[in-house]
Amino acid sequence: MKKILVTLLFIGGISSLSHAQTRIPPNVQKLLQKNTCLACHNADKKLVGPAYKEVMQKKKYKPEQIVELIYKPNPKNWPGYPPMAPMAQVPKNEALIIAKWIASLK
Ligand code: HEC
């Protein structure tokens, strides 16, 4: 009995550790990859651009505002970063799916 409890605690510990990193839903992951967002952005860590979590902590955007910023970035919002290039090639429906996911991050 004690052994089972220890095993359960151990498994619980591991799964809470892996939760420290944001889980990206597979459909969103696919769009982030296809549209090259991941070359410059990570959900949790600063890369070339700010972490998506940091974007939401600082700015609290609505999905529609994020879609706007994909097409027309505003580098003034992020001093210390190089400017993000406007990404007109991202299809609107894909931009909205990505934007809704980013807006859901805390
Ligand atoms: C070549 C690198 C690069 C790529 C590719 C890129 N970004 Fe960015 N992104 C940046 C940088 C750098 C910033 C901060 C400076 C700025 O906003 O111009 C930024 C800022 C942002 C912001 C914050 C906007 C604001 O004004 O607060 C969002 C949201 C964002 N990117 C989403 C995306 C999404 C979604 C994609 C893919 C469709 C993407 N980015 C692709 C580099 C990139």
Side-chain angles (χ1 to χ4, degrees), residues 5-43:
L5 195 64
V6 170
T7 309
L8 284 178
L9 283 175
F10 183 62
I11 293 171
I14 289 183
S15 64
S16 64
L17 261 185
S18 63
H19 278 156
Q21 212 184 10
T22 302
R23 211 188 126 279
I24 308 180
N27 64 320
V28 176
Q29 171 85 21
K30 217 170 81 189
L31 296 180
L32 289 171
Q33 235 152 24
K34 174 184 167 216
N35 292 300
T36 71
C37 314
L38 295 180
C40 299
H41 291 282
N42 181 285

Side-chain angles (χ1 to χ4, degrees), residues 36-37 40-41 48-50 52 61 69-70 75 77-78 82-84 87:
T36 71
C37 314
C40 299
H41 291 282
V48 179
Y52 289 141
Y61 292 127
L69 286 164
I70 292 172
N77 288 340
W78 294 95
M84 173 170 146
M87 301 187 71

